[in-house]
């Protein structure tokens, strides 16, 4: 027992947050015999119950395989070779496989969250429902995390801190303002998402640009669908009974797809705001910001989870190199390497959001969108650029 009833404990890497970034990092380190402790403020059930996106780039699938956590995703996930862009009553298929040689895996983030938590269920690896997490001395000296768990105060000493605690976490919030530069774009609309146990209207995803607003037809399996419509940020979920949602969705789709829409009772309905945010740098002494703790992308390009995994890939290689050879080269390059991918994915998500959403009533802006969509449908070069960014740039291309 040390300071004032605080139970000291030590580990090599203390990880704040048990979302996809924190748990995947913990698993990759464990495979290399590197000790870590994850502290999470919510319960395991709560974290697994969050309805989020569900589209994995192949580099993310490969990282899951490296961590030994890809078996169920590969068994139950759906491999997609392409997707559709719908506009002006028609649609154009983007053949990802033909254009890039790569595919995507449709696998719900909450299912992935279950696999990640299952992989770290040894006692003491993840502390759920911790309170009042505070980070100390990450600039110089021995980093520490203090927190309350099961009613008593604890202190975790470590070599490194990984801030995987998302946008609302304590990691980025604890860095002095003058040390951080934030780049932000808030979009003047949201996404209303609906989950229902109905068969998807198409075997691949459909992104629809329509004068009434954007719509997305996605899925979790062959009998569970996930749909989104662009809505106003003032809207309330209560103002969108299921019937109104289905009617509006059908109106925004080409007739051929609208006619195939199977409707049903919603299992979940929620509104998310759209924002682009990048924090520079992503490292402060022995504190590393990872995933949503450092950057947010609008969901249009499904890059959020995949960017978090990409950060984890760069950081895990740096930590593994450090514990193997005491070389800190990769750790010193973490921020630059991670940001290189973050900015490319942020640009793509911003561009795809502006292309596919109703931004304003300005007729010129609408014509620019239609002209770009028609160009996309006719130009192999434009389509390849969309496909390359959609499947995610390989680490060599960065
Ligand atoms: N103390 C402990 N845990 C915390 C704290 C805190 N003060 N604040 C937040 N957390 C936890 C949250 O409860 C959450 O479980 O940190 C975790 C952060 O997880 P995510 O928000 O999922 O962030 P990340 O792991 O970076 O994953 C990013 O997941 O949410 C999607 O859209 C997001 O796709 C993106 C990806
Ligand atoms: C989803 O399935 O929830 C999803 C898919 C693709 C996106 C965003 C969300 O771009």
């Amino acid at each position: 027992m040390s300071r004032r009833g605080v139970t000291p404990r030590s580990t090599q890497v203390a990880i704040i947050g048990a979302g996809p970034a924190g748990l995947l990092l913990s698993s990759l380190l464990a495979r290399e015999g590197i000790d870590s402790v994850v502290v999470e403020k919510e319960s395991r059930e709560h974290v697994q119950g969050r309805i989020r996106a569900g589209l994995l780039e192949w580099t993310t699938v490969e990282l899951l395989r490296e961590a030994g956590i890809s078996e169920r995703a590969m068994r139950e996930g759906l491999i997609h070779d392409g997707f559709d862009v719908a506009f002006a009553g028609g649609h154009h298929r983007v053949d990802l496989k033909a254009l890039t040689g790569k595919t995507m895996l449709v696998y719900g983030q909450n299912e992935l969250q279950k696999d990640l938590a299952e992989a770290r269920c040894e006692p003491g690896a993840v502390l759920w429902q911790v309170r009042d997490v505070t980070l100390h001395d990450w600039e110089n000296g021995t980093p520490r995390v203090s927190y309350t768990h099961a009613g008593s105060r604890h202190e975790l000493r470590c070599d490194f801190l990984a801030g995987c605690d998302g946008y609302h976490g304590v990691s980025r919030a604890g860095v002095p303002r003058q040390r951080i530069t934030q780049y932000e774009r808030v979009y003047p609309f949201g996404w209303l998402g609906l989950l229902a146990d109905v068969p998807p209207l198409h075997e691949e995803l459909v992104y629809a640009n329509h004068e009434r607003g954007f719509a997305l037809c996605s899925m979790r399996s062959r009998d569970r669908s996930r749909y989104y419509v662009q809505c106003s940020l003032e809207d309330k979920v209560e103002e969108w009974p299921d019937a109104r949602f289905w009617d509006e969705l059908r109106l925004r789709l080409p007739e051929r797809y609208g006619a195939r829409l199977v409707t049903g009772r919603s299992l979940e309905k929620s509104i998310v705001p759209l924002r682009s945010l990048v924090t520079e740098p992503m490292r402060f002494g022995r504190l590393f910001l990872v995933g949503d703790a450092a950057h947010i992308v609008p969901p249009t390009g499904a890059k959020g989870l995949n960017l978090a995994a990409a950060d984890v890939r760069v950081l895990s290689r740096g930590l593994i190199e450090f514990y193997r050879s005491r070389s800190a080269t990769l750790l010193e390059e973490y921020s630059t390497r991670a940001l290189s991918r973050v900015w490319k994915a942020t640009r793509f998500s911003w561009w795809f959001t502006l292309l596919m959403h109703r931004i304003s009533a300005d007729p010129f802006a609408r014509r620019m969108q239609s002209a770009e969509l028609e160009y996309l449908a006719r130009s192999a070069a434009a389509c390849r650029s969309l496909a390359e960014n959609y499947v995610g740039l390989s680490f060599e291309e960065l």
Side-chain angles (χ1 to χ4, degrees):
M1 197 62 72
S2 73
R3 261 189 298 261
R4 296 181 307 295
V6 175
T7 319
R9 192 179 155 190
S10 67
T11 183
Q12 291 173 297
V13 183
I15 300 173
I16 321 303
L23 291 176
L24 181 55
L25 177 62
S26 179
S27 278
L28 286 166
L29 296 180
R31 304 238 349 148
E32 296 290 328
I34 300 169
D35 187 55
S36 68
V37 173
V38 180
V39 294
E40 164 62 50
K41 70 176 176 159
E42 305 290 355
S43 69
R44 179 173 173 174
E45 296 63 37
H46 175 90
V47 174
Q48 285 173 189
R50 287 185 194 128
I51 301 293
R52 296 252 173 94
L55 198 58
L56 308 183
E57 295 172 358
W58 218 254
T59 46
T60 302
V61 175
E62 278 157 5
L63 200 58
L64 291 172
R65 187 175 291 133
E66 213 179 291
I69 311 171
S70 62
E71 196 271 327
R72 191 164 78 97
M74 291 307 294
R75 185 164 33 106
E76 298 178 8
L78 303 171
I79 293 179
H80 279 200
D81 297 350
F83 65 91
D84 264 22
V85 174
F87 63 98
H91 59 95
H92 173 75
R93 181 168 185 266
V94 179
D95 187 334
L96 297 171
K97 188 120 188 219
L99 290 163
T100 68
K102 295 179 187 164
T103 56
M104 303 289 279
L105 187 72
V106 173
Y107 187 61
Q109 184 168 324
N110 56 322
E111 298 306 325
L112 177 62
Q113 189 71 42
K114 288 178 192 155
D115 302 341
L116 289 166
E118 193 53 39
R120 294 306 290 146
C121 57
E122 75 205 51
V126 183
L127 306 177
W128 302 95
Q129 295 180 300
V130 301
R131 288 278 164 275
D132 312 322
V133 168
T134 311
L135 311 188
H136 313 269
D137 300 343
W138 36 266
E139 198 61 84
N140 42 40
T142 307
R144 291 172 295 122
V145 184
S146 56
Y147 57 91
T148 301
H149 189 235
S152 56
R153 196 77 187 148
H154 298 264
E155 184 179 273
L156 187 59
R157 296 192 187 130
C158 55
D159 302 327
F160 300 104
L161 285 166
C164 303
D165 47 353
Y167 179 73
H168 301 287
V170 290
S171 301
R172 187 184 73 253
V175 178
R177 283 288 117 243
Q178 69 277 15
R179 301 281 317 280
I180 281 192
T181 308
Q182 286 202 280
Y183 303 83
E184 186 167 25
R185 174 59 47 87
V186 176
Y187 302 88
F189 43 78
W191 274 16
L192 168 62
L194 179 148
L195 187 71
D197 277 340
V198 292
L201 59 72
H202 186 48
E203 67 269 7
E204 294 181 329
L205 272 57
V206 180
Y207 293 81
N209 168 293
H210 191 276
E211 64 187 343
R212 296 177 68 90
F214 169 76
L216 168 61
C217 308
S218 181
M219 62 202 74
R220 292 291 172 270
S221 68
R222 293 204 169 78
D223 42 41
R224 176 167 286 188
S225 297
R226 179 73 167 158
Y227 293 106
Y228 300 93
V229 293
Q230 175 183 353
C231 66
S232 148
L233 286 171
E234 276 72 54
D235 283 5
K236 300 273 174 298
V237 171
E238 308 73 65
E239 297 160 349
W240 282 88
D242 291 1
R244 179 184 173 199
F245 181 94
W246 294 121
D247 293 347
E248 186 59 38
L249 176 62
R250 193 179 288 109
L251 284 170
R252 296 184 189 187
L253 296 171
E255 216 167 299
R256 138 166 218 253
Y257 286 141
R260 284 161 49 172
L261 180 62
V262 178
T263 65
R265 192 177 56 73
S266 62
L267 301 170
E268 186 271 354
K269 237 178 334 195
S270 54
I271 294 179
V272 291
L274 273 69
R275 165 203 349 245
S276 296
L277 174 104
V278 179
T279 302
E280 287 188 353
M282 287 173 60
R283 176 196 176 196
F284 304 88
R286 289 175 169 251
L287 169 62
F288 297 83
L289 299 183
V290 183
D292 278 19
H295 43 75
I296 301 282
V297 284
T300 324
K303 292 291 172 223
L305 174 65
N306 295 297
L307 267 183
D311 292 348
V312 167
R313 184 177 187 275
V314 179
L315 181 57
S316 60
R317 275 152 173 71
L319 291 165
I320 291 164
E321 179 200 60
F322 177 83
Y323 284 110
R324 271 202 193 135
S325 65
R326 292 291 146 181
S327 156
T329 312
L330 284 181
L331 286 177
E332 271 139 26
E333 294 168 357
Y334 168 72
S335 188
T336 312
R337 284 169 174 266
L339 281 167
S340 162
R341 190 184 188 87
V342 167
W343 276 116
K344 290 185 178 70
T346 299
R347 181 212 66 83
F348 169 66
S349 304
W350 163 83
W351 170 80
F352 201 32
T353 299
L354 295 185
L355 177 66
M356 298 306 293
H357 288 74
R358 182 183 167 82
I359 307 296
S360 75
D362 166 16
F364 182 79
R366 290 287 303 149
R367 285 306 180 97
M368 284 302 99
Q369 275 189 340
S370 318
E372 180 145 17
L373 286 162
E374 275 149 32
Y375 168 61
L376 201 65
R378 283 180 183 65
S379 154
C383 217
R384 185 187 309 283
S385 164
L386 168 58
E388 278 175 357
N389 283 279
Y390 190 88
V391 295
L393 303 173
S394 69
F395 288 87
E396 292 66 41
E397 282 166 308
L398 287 180

